[in-house]
Amino acid sequence: MAFRPRLMRTLLTAGIAASLAGLAATVAAAEAPVTRPWMNAALTPDQRADLLVKAMTQDEKFRLIRSEYGADFEGKHNKPAGSLGTAGFIPAMPRLGLPAIHETDAGQGVARPLLFGDGDTALPAGVAVAASFNPEVAFAGGAMIGREAHRMGFGVLLAGGVNLLRDPRNGRNFEYAGEDPLLAGTIVGAAIRGIQSEHVVSTVKHYAMNDLETDRNTLSANIDQTAARESDLLAFEIAIADGQPGSVMCSYNRINSVYACENDWLLNQVLKRDWKYPGFVMSDWGAVHSAAKSALAGLDQESAGERFDKEVYFDKPLREAVAKGEVPQSRIDDMVHRIVRSFFAVGAFEHPAKVATIDYAADAKVSQRAAEEGIVLLRNWQHFLPLGKDIGPVAVIGSHADVGVTTGGGSSGVKPRGGSPVTGVAPTAWPGPKVYQRSSPMQAIARRNGGKVAYASGDDIAAAAKLAAQSKVAIVFAEQWTAESFDVPTMDLPGNQDALIAAVAKANPHTIVVLQTNGPVKMTWLHKVDGVLEAWYPGANGGEAIARVLFGEVGPSGRLPMTWPKDESQLPRPTIPGAGLAAIGIPPQGQPQQDIDYNIEGADVGYRWFEKRHLEPLFAFGYGLSYTSFDYGKPVLESRDGEVSVRLRITNTGKREGVTVPQLYVAPPQGDTTKRLAGWQRVDLKPGESREVRIVADPVRLAHYDVTKHAWVRDAGRYRFELGHTSAATLMVDLSTELPAATCTLKACTPIAH
Ligand code: BGC
């Protein structure tokens, strides 16, 4: 939510019981005999929505175009009757057979910020799922959290974060899917499909350019329209086309001076006209600033306006605007149509959310697989890893790794099952509390090396170094906790962790660092340690996943979904004025009206920025080591029926099973010739196994966006393709082909006839 520093965790057992009673009534309403024509599942979602809109009164329509805050607020027992106690709630309309709508965050699981009950299953961070480069893992994770949401009574998951990583210091990078629009859109699209396969509406967010948290409620993200279409908006376009989310959440910030939720270009022109989006736009919590202007620009539903906006715009003010003829009645009907259509489309009427048993053990395994596939091995000096079971005494140091793994904070924070094993860590209030998932890396290591582990908290550096000196291997767990509503001012690991790692590495020549971070951090100690694993925020079974990778039960197979800069000097904006945890808590109205110039890098986000500026990162986009080795045969480029692909044979030449992720990049012949990711594949091979792989170049990556034609256009000319393990290490093979001019969609390019 926009501003909830005084929110208290006060949902009592009695409150939960009341919520469930309300839910039972809701479900009963949904199961009423099908006498209403819109309940006919043989009709299309649009036909059903038309019938329903016709049957609704104006009051019912107005009740549907705004949600209320569903939880207790400012320490009072004031949540709406019947609400389950989460971010958004719209009461049931029994006359029409409409169940109550309960909305909950977010992409890593059912986040119930105010509930401290048993908790739910946490997926690893979104960025970890992106690091798997595996849409199947994203789909499975989405389906898992969608199922849990459905079985707790939720009809909407506010999940589907796809803002691009333009800055490693953005406090919400962990909720998103990295810097590349094709990768991010594909992964998030798959997650949305997974969620909606469980009859829960998913909400792609935060639309758009909400790529920093500092001053997010007022900041104007300034960017040229073409650059926006080829970067952040492309990620949304791909995710929306693939996942078909029922809703899109417009963001807090302004874009080119106009608030996202009243931005005609963003909502009406791009989303609804160009992408033909049939679902509804809901606002972020506290992101609405007008009635008629927002309604006319394309906003369909105001979220929790009574708590977070200056007034509830989509009630009295909007009714007045309709009465005065400023907003046509047809626009109100369109809003309602879009909302109910989305629920019809996911089958929510046939399969209403209702409380049912959840198989938490099975769900934790889904989370664990995602964590295992997303962990990235960044350094493995002289192949020190994997560890053998006879490794001897291991020192586990730091980050409460004796009891749990790190998570991110803010609205997406999933309460650990069984409660956090560590409490009282600052910040204990919004956007905290800082909690840990109950999955101990230390115990998981102990289960593998005969229990020869000892723990040092790391608070006392000398004591940690002493323990390291007495051990065969020292594993330092380093963490960077970030959260919604603030950015970190630097890329430094917080506190004394750099000094701790340096001291431990000095004391023990076999030091491994396991990072649990929001994204890239500086590594002043990199060359002093034997190994570095990036585990992100690894979720419900994170400790087990980390241990399995460390001991080689599963090979490390994640790849970086972002470029890893050496330090802030390599970024488009070396500083973020006003960043830091201390900056939160300022009411939205009080935030300075800042501008941010995204035209500095435009569409050249991440690896494209590094290429253009001839910068060498610490690790390139797409980088990640394996415990085995691969031979890439000679790639062959094929251009047939308008489709360009590369074929090659890949062989596992090592002694262990492992995954390699060949990546195809393309550089256009003219205009902006920086290369971009055009496709990839995850290839899992047993020792000695060999397979022919074909990677198809995504048509839209061969094109540029033409704002005057409202179309993706491919210029005629010779396109250069590169194949490699990362965006930087490409194979030295000349792959290029002549292509005719064409117009392209996300699916295909059609040559332009002359
Ligand atoms: C966040 C959204 C979230 C909403 C509801 C806002 O502060 O930006 O991502 O879905 O709160 O909790």
Side-chain angles (χ1 to χ4, degrees):
M1 273 121 262
F3 171 56
R4 38 192 166 187
R6 285 184 289 150
L7 289 188
M8 294 181 51
R9 295 162 261 126
T10 49
L11 199 83
L12 305 170
T13 320
I16 299 171
S19 300
L20 293 179
L23 176 73
T26 299
V27 169
E31 286 173 353
V34 183
T35 52
R36 304 155 177 125
W38 54 87
M39 290 299 195
N40 179 358
L43 301 176
T44 67
D46 281 311
Q47 289 169 329
R48 297 174 74 179
D50 279 343
L51 290 166
L52 180 50
V53 174
K54 273 198 199 106
M56 289 173 93
T57 65
Q58 188 76 330
D59 279 348
E60 284 163 345
K61 290 175 188 170
F62 267 87
R63 198 56 205 84
L64 209 55
I65 61 172
R66 66 179 175 93
S67 64
E68 288 170 82
Y69 189 52
D72 287 337
F73 191 65
E74 297 190 329
K76 302 188 188 100
H77 295 301
N78 52 6
K79 75 180 174 68
S83 166
L84 291 177
T86 51
F89 170 68
I90 297 176
M93 298 184 198
R95 187 185 83 83
L96 301 165
L98 292 187
I101 298 174
H102 300 278
E103 302 170 344
T104 184
D105 291 291
Q108 288 148 75
V110 180
R112 296 183 292 171
L114 305 187
L115 288 181
F116 270 77
D118 263 355
D120 329 303
T121 307
L123 279 174
V127 73
V129 176
S132 75
F133 276 60
N134 190 348
E136 278 169 36
V137 157
F139 179 90
M144 184 275 278
I145 64 173
R147 200 160 48 243
E148 287 201 1
H150 195 262
R151 291 174 177 213
M152 292 178 200
F154 294 104
V156 178
L157 255 182
L158 306 169
V162 73
N163 293 79
L164 288 192
L165 191 155
R166 283 178 182 265
D167 193 311
R169 296 161 297 185
N170 172 14
R172 293 188 94 168
N173 282 335
F174 72 92
E175 293 189 51
Y176 304 140
E179 73 188 20
D180 180 78
L182 180 63
L183 177 68
T186 306
I187 292 292
V188 174
I192 292 168
R193 256 192 292 118
I195 291 167
Q196 297 201 154
S197 71
E198 296 290 336
H199 315 294
V200 171
V201 165
S202 183
T203 312
V204 74
K205 67 188 190 183
H206 305 87
Y207 188 66
M209 311 301 309
N210 185 182
D211 299 342
L212 285 176
E213 292 296 286
T214 309
D215 298 330
R216 65 176 176 169
N217 300 87
T218 51
L219 190 81
S220 177
N222 298 335
I223 186 162
D224 165 77
Q225 288 191 4
T226 307
R229 293 299 293 254
E230 294 181 1
S231 56
D232 290 60
L233 296 189
L234 179 57
F236 276 95
E237 187 176 0
I238 294 170
I240 289 171
D242 182 10
Q244 301 187 22
S247 75
V248 172
M249 187 188 292
C250 52
S251 53
Y252 287 120
N253 55 293
R254 295 174 291 143
I255 295 104
N256 299 328
S257 300
V258 183
Y259 278 112
C261 294
E262 55 185 42
N263 195 312
D264 180 77
W265 170 69
L266 199 64
L267 306 181
N268 277 340
Q269 298 179 39
V270 176
L271 178 69
K272 293 182 175 177
R273 180 195 64 199
D274 295 353
W275 301 345
K276 303 184 175 49
Y277 178 65
F280 68 103
V281 177
M282 71 160 74
S283 72
D284 203 340
W285 274 233
V288 185
H289 303 269
S290 61
K293 186 174 181 195
S294 299
L296 292 173
L299 178 66
D300 300 303
Q301 192 180 67
E302 178 179 14
S303 306
E306 81 291 356
R307 296 292 186 222
F308 300 106
D309 294 329
K310 262 196 193 143
E311 58 181 311
V312 181
Y313 293 103
F314 274 23
D315 198 2
K316 197 163 167 271
L318 188 55
R319 286 176 195 256
E320 283 169 8
V322 173
K324 279 192 244 159
E326 286 168 17
V327 173
Q329 177 63 37
S330 58
R331 176 69 191 104
I332 306 297
D333 292 351
D334 175 49
M335 295 172 178
V336 178
H337 178 105
R338 287 170 173 277
I339 295 166
V340 295
R341 182 206 185 276
S342 290
F343 289 91
F344 286 125
V346 299
F349 287 73
E350 288 66 54
H351 309 274
K354 57 179 162 204
V355 174
T357 314
I358 293 171
D359 186 346
Y360 287 112
D363 289 355
K365 288 286 176 204
V366 174
S367 171
Q368 185 180 325
R369 179 181 166 209
E372 288 171 2
E373 293 207 6
I375 290 174
V376 185
L377 179 61
L378 294 173
R379 176 173 167 85
N380 195 9
W381 180 244
Q382 295 186 333
H383 304 286
F384 182 68
L385 292 172
L387 302 175
K389 294 206 187 289
D390 54 356
I391 189 70
V394 174
V396 172
I397 298 164
S399 298
H400 304 285
D402 53 337
V403 288
V405 289
T406 309
T407 66
S411 60
S412 71
V414 175
K415 295 297 153 280
R417 290 208 32 79
S420 175
V422 187
T423 52
V425 187
T428 49
W430 173 261
K434 185 176 175 196
V435 296
Y436 289 77
Q437 292 294 328
R438 201 171 266 277
S439 175
S440 157
M442 184 180 86
Q443 283 171 19
I445 292 166
R447 281 195 290 277
R448 288 167 171 85
N449 82 334
K452 295 192 202 104
V453 290
Y455 179 72
S457 72
D459 295 341
D460 178 342
I461 293 184
K466 192 169 165 212
L467 175 66
Q470 293 159 357
S471 311
K472 274 275 188 281
V473 180
I475 307 180
V476 185
F477 286 77
E479 67 175 358
Q480 177 202 41
W481 182 83
T482 68
E484 170 183 352
S485 77
F486 74 98
D487 301 313
V488 288
T490 70
M491 286 175 59
D492 292 327
L493 275 171
N496 66 4
Q497 296 181 98
D498 284 328
L500 172 68
I501 295 168
V504 169
K506 200 161 170 206
N508 188 316
H510 296 307
T511 295
I512 307 293
V513 175
V514 177
L515 292 171
Q516 295 174 90
T517 66
N518 173 54
V521 290
K522 274 187 278 199
M523 294 193 216
T524 47
W525 33 261
L526 179 62
H527 298 287
K528 296 182 183 150
V529 300
D530 270 1
V532 181
L533 277 190
E534 172 57 273
W536 319 104
Y537 303 143
N541 274 11
E544 188 69 11
I546 291 168
R548 272 176 49 83
V549 174
L550 285 172
F551 284 86
E553 289 165 26
V554 58
S557 63
R559 297 293 181 270
L560 289 179
M562 81 287 282
T563 307
W564 195 294
K566 286 181 180 146
D567 58 35
E568 302 85 356
S569 71
Q570 296 187 312
L571 299 171
R573 284 159 297 275
T575 58
I576 308 176
L581 186 53
I584 68 152
I586 304 166
Q589 287 78 8
Q591 289 185 356
Q593 293 255 326
Q594 284 216 47
D595 282 14
I596 184 154
D597 185 6
Y598 283 136
N599 287 315
I600 295 174
E601 75 277 33
D604 294 325
V605 181
Y607 60 86
R608 291 172 54 164
W609 168 259
F610 276 71
E611 181 188 332
K612 272 225 169 118
R613 298 285 161 137
H614 309 289
L615 295 168
E616 200 190 314
L618 194 56
F619 301 109
F621 172 89
Y623 174 85
L625 300 171
S626 159
Y627 291 153
T628 186
S629 51
F630 297 93
D631 176 63
Y632 280 28
K634 186 175 160 32
V636 178
L637 190 82
E638 288 169 345
S639 175
R640 205 180 293 148
D641 302 329
E643 187 179 87
V644 183
S645 62
V646 167
R647 214 165 20 85
L648 80 157
R649 178 158 287 280
I650 300 182
T651 310
N652 181 344
T653 52
K655 293 195 174 62
R656 290 174 172 272
E657 180 174 351
V659 170
T660 185
V661 184
Q663 299 152 38
L664 181 65
Y665 294 87
V666 60
Q670 62 214 36
D672 182 355
T673 56
T674 42
K675 68 181 181 223
R676 63 269 325 237
L677 182 70
W680 71 88
Q681 242 181 65
R682 255 184 84 97
V683 189
D684 192 342
L685 294 171
K686 302 222 158 27
E689 194 183 343
S690 172
R691 190 175 315 145
E692 186 163 273
V693 169
R694 184 166 168 268
I695 306 173
V696 177
D698 191 272
V700 106
R701 288 336 287 281
L702 310 185
H704 58 89
Y705 193 76
D706 186 323
V707 273
T708 53
K709 293 189 180 131
H710 303 301
W712 290 95
V713 174
R714 190 182 72 193
D715 292 327
R718 180 156 283 275
Y719 285 71
R720 195 181 81 246
F721 289 85
E722 292 179 5
L723 192 108
H725 307 95
T726 76
S727 62
T730 47
L731 295 185
M732 301 306 287
V733 182
D734 176 33
L735 290 174
S736 65
T737 188
E738 200 72 42
L739 293 170
T743 50
C744 304
T745 64
L746 294 189
K747 293 204 179 88
C749 292
T750 317
I752 298 167
H754 288 291

